[in-house]
Each structure stands twice: as C-alpha cells, then as structure tokens.
C-alpha cells in the first residue's frame, strides 16, 4: 500500500501534484482543504466556524482535523491502493496523530516536502486568486498563511526527518518537472 503525505507552504503545489499522483498510482486523494471547503459550502453551523478561520488564513483546530482523518482511515476500502494526504498534517501534533492512526491500522507513509521560494508562492496564489474565488487568496491573507506555515507547519519536517521517512523536492520548477522528481522518490521507495 502506498501512503504519501504531501507537505509544503500554501501554493507550493500540493493539490496540483496530488492529482497527478492519484492518477498515476491509483491511490485515493484526501485534501483536507477540499474537505473543509465542502463543509463551508454545505452551509452548516460547523461550516460557518470553519469559514471564519480559513478566510482569515488561520488553521482549523487540530481536534477538528483529527475527526476528519480518523473517520477517513477507519472507512478506507479493503482494496485501497493507498492514499495521498494533501495538506495533512499541518502541525506537529497532527503529524503525531497521523503516525498513531496509521500504526493502529498497520500502515506506514512517506513524507514528501515541496520546497518553493516565497516570492513564487505569492505569485502563484495571487494568480490562482483571480480564478479560484477563494477568500484566502489575497495578498494580506497569503502573507499570514505563509507566516503560519513557518511557525506551525515547517517544524514537521524535523519530525519526519527524525522518523527517517522524509523526502524534499524542489517545487520551483514546472509542474511536469516537479512530478518527475516525485515519481523518482515513489518508484524508488516502493521497490524497497
Ligand atoms: P489547501 O487547500 O491545502 O491549499 P493551499 O495550501 O492553499 O495550496 P496548494 O499547495 O494545494 O497549492 P496548489 O496546488 O493549488 O489549504 C487551504 C486552507 O485550508 C489552509 O490555509 C487552512 O486554513 C485549511 N486547512 C487545510 N488543511 C488543514 C489542516 N490539516 N489543519 C488545519 N487547517 C487546514 O497550487 C497553487 C497554484 O499554483 C495553483 O494555481 C497551481 O495551478 C499553481 N501551481 C502549482 N504548481 C505549479 C508549478 N510547478 N508551476 C507553476 N504554477 C504552479
């Protein structure tokens, strides 16, 4: 079973590369960003709380995310080829929860970290904002999201380095080039 955790700053290409990986390797794609946006779109009370956080560029509390991931893993089909975790974990506490949950179901994962220069991140998200209609794709919110990434998400690289399943990818290149780097890692690791 192939489980991949795809991490990186906002706009680093997690969603973009996850779609390529899911198509090529036949794994399921779990985007926590999409799950949260679907909850917002449902108009529920929970969705309103989530909207207030996301539109300002803040993270949703770890406990709320835990429920989403636990429910997902517990209901994985028996014949699943694996999952690409897109945007989860985003804090060290989420990383610990995911390790424990995977262990409970006898699963493992590798972590791929998309490294992209800050100017490029901002440029990509501003561009995406012109068509996405996302409230969090504007300059002030983007800057806030990048600051949160540095404070809360970046430390998880050390967590995975320590656990020996960390792989960095240069995400500054074209989508096709980034995907080539990712495929090399996946193909090498799945042979072992
Ligand atoms: P996400 O939906 O995960 O999205 P993202 O970080 O903004 O973008 P991503 O990295 O997927 O970039 P994309 O491929 O679209 O998160 C949104 C919000 O949800 C978070 O800020 C947070 O509030 C909340 N959230 C989600 N998960 C959470 C969790 N676990 N805990 C707490 N809160 C959580 O690429 C961006 C743009 O760049 C696209 O337009 C794309 O076309 C372009 N692009 C991508 N790769 C490119 C390349 N190589 N070259 C040129 N352009 C490229």
């Amino acid at each position: 079973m192939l489980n991949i955790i795809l991490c990186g700053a906002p706009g680093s290409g997690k969603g973009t590369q996850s779609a390529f990986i899911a198509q090529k390797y036949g794994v399921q794609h779990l985007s926590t960003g999409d799950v949260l946006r679907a909850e917002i779109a449902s108009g529920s009370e929970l969705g309103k709380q989530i909207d207030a956080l996301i539109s300002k560029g803040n993270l949703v509390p770890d406990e709320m995310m835990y429920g989403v991931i636990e429910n997902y893993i517990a209901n994985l089909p028996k014949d699943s080829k694996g999952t690409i975790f897109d945007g989860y974990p985003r804090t060290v506490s989420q990383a610990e929860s995911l390790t424990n949950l995977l262990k409970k179901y006898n699963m493992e994962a590798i972590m791929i970290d998309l490294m992209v220069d800050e100017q490029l991140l901002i440029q990509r998200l501003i561009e995406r904002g012109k068509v996405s209609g996302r409230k969090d794709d504007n300059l002030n919110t983007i800057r806030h999201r990048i600051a949160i990434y540095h404070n809360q998400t970046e430390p998880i690289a050390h967590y995975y380095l320590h656990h020996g399943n960390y792989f960095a990818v240069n995400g500054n290149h074209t989508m096709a080039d980034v995907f080539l780097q990712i495929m090399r890692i996946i193909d090498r690791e799945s042979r072992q």
Side-chain angles (χ1 to χ4, degrees), residues 2-190:
L2 177 65
N3 292 309
I4 299 160
I5 296 162
L6 201 55
C7 285
S12 56
K14 299 181 294 291
T16 305
Q17 295 298 328
S18 294
F20 295 158
I21 297 168
Q23 197 187 15
K24 159 106 184 147
Y25 295 96
V27 291
Q28 290 167 243
H29 175 191
L30 176 68
S31 159
T32 44
D34 285 351
V35 170
L36 296 171
R37 283 184 287 275
E39 189 64 46
I40 295 172
S42 78
S44 69
E45 263 318 301
L46 179 63
K48 285 179 190 145
Q49 291 170 31
I50 293 171
D51 191 25
L53 290 163
I54 291 193
S55 58
K56 292 196 183 77
N58 293 316
L59 295 182
V60 168
D62 290 340
E63 314 79 64
M64 205 182 270
M65 294 314 306
Y66 183 82
V68 171
I69 300 295
E70 187 183 33
N71 185 45
Y72 172 83
I73 294 181
N75 290 299
L76 265 176
K78 292 265 174 294
D79 59 352
S80 169
K81 290 185 174 171
T83 297
I84 167 104
F85 294 91
D86 163 9
Y88 187 93
R90 264 177 156 91
T91 63
V92 172
S93 162
Q94 290 184 8
E96 287 166 350
S97 299
L98 182 58
T99 302
N100 291 335
L101 268 174
L102 289 172
K103 218 179 264 169
K104 185 171 158 192
Y105 291 91
N106 285 320
M107 292 192 278
E108 288 181 339
I110 58 168
M111 193 275 230
I112 297 181
D113 201 0
L114 293 175
M115 316 294 285
V116 177
D117 295 344
E118 197 152 315
Q119 267 316 104
L120 204 49
L121 293 174
I122 295 174
Q123 207 177 303
R124 286 181 188 174
L125 291 174
I126 296 279
E127 276 308 307
R128 186 177 71 182
K130 290 178 188 165
V131 287
S132 69
R134 278 173 55 167
K135 291 186 203 163
D136 56 348
D137 280 345
N138 64 77
L139 190 55
N140 280 342
T141 314
I142 291 166
R143 290 218 164 101
H144 181 60
R145 288 161 65 199
I146 292 175
I148 288 191
Y149 165 76
H150 288 310
N151 290 333
Q152 300 194 42
T153 307
E154 221 167 26
I156 70 177
H158 298 281
Y159 174 88
Y160 286 103
L161 258 175
H162 180 73
H163 284 77
N165 50 354
Y166 174 86
F167 302 89
V169 158
N170 184 341
N172 291 306
H173 300 298
T174 64
M175 295 177 192
D177 283 349
V178 175
F179 187 47
L180 262 180
Q181 293 179 65
I182 293 177
M183 280 193 295
R184 269 189 218 120
I185 294 170
I186 295 176
D187 293 344
R188 191 184 61 224
E189 290 307 304
S190 44

